[in-house]
Amino acid sequence: GGIAVLDQYIGVVITFALGAVIVLGMVSGSMIFGARSTSHRAVKDEVFVAPGIAILHAMLYEAEAYGITHAQAVAMGYQEEWDAALDSLSRMHKRGIRVLPGGDYGFAFTPHCQNARDLEFFVKYLGFTPMEAIRSATLYGGQIMLQGHELGVIKEGWLADLLLIDG
């Protein structure tokens, strides 16, 4: 594949699914991604970003019960990483890059079954509307699994798990 540059996305740990995009390195403050096309538009259409921002938040604000104070987390660089992640991910979202809930759940301070917090964090910290946050977990979820033709939207004949609540 070709090489494409996405400018100024520094300081974010990014997970890419299904090998569609692989981080190759950094050049002059820009990450270079291996992709199947060299145009920015085509690369944007191939990239999925699934950050683990919940663990950054937990390390800064919720890990004291586990022996990590806020001051220690800041000294370890988590505040800097949090700030860079929020800035970069917000800009990616504004540019139309698909940002999905990513996780890093399964630790004492980010236990399993809290993944929906990512949707709250996307709205509260990344500038998503509530519907954009839902779409990031549904529509983009189907696309990242290469099942966008049958997953990710509520549509007759498509696969879906629904929980309906009166209220």
Side-chain angles (χ1 to χ4, degrees):
I3 299 293
V5 177
L6 300 176
D7 64 334
Q8 304 303 311
Y9 299 129
I10 301 169
V12 179
V13 177
I14 301 173
T15 304
F16 296 99
L18 305 172
V21 178
I22 300 168
V23 176
L24 298 177
M26 308 242 341
V27 175
S28 302
S30 297
M31 286 186 186
I32 299 178
F33 300 93
R36 291 186 292 268
S37 173
T38 57
S39 75
H40 174 75
R41 175 77 178 146
V43 169
K44 181 185 78 158
D45 292 343
E46 293 180 17
V47 172
F48 294 89
V49 180
I53 61 172
I55 198 163
L56 301 177
H57 184 273
M59 289 296 291
L60 285 167
Y61 303 109
E62 300 167 354
E64 195 152 330
Y66 305 97
I68 301 171
T69 67
H70 180 75
Q72 288 171 318
V74 170
M76 289 188 281
Y78 281 98
Q79 185 67 57
E80 185 177 350
E81 189 172 349
W82 172 255
D83 294 341
L86 298 187
D87 177 58
S88 296
L89 293 165
S90 296
R91 289 189 288 133
M92 287 181 199
H93 171 62
K94 287 177 187 170
R95 290 184 179 182
I97 294 172
R98 292 171 290 190
V99 180
L100 293 83
D104 267 348
Y105 292 94
F107 297 95
F109 36 84
T110 55
H112 288 295
C113 301
Q114 290 189 348
N115 305 54
R117 290 179 70 188
D118 282 358
L119 302 181
E120 174 190 353
F121 291 162
F122 281 23
V123 172
K124 188 172 183 177
Y125 300 115
L126 302 181
F128 282 58
T129 66
M131 183 53 77
E132 288 172 331
I134 291 169
R135 190 177 309 121
S136 73
T138 56
L139 177 66
Y140 299 163
Q143 293 171 355
I144 198 169
M145 293 185 286
L146 301 179
Q147 299 295 312
H149 60 284
E150 63 182 355
L151 295 175
V153 297
I154 300 172
K155 187 174 178 180
E156 186 176 339
W158 286 43
L159 303 173
D161 292 324
L162 300 174
L163 174 62
L164 304 177
I165 300 172
D166 184 15

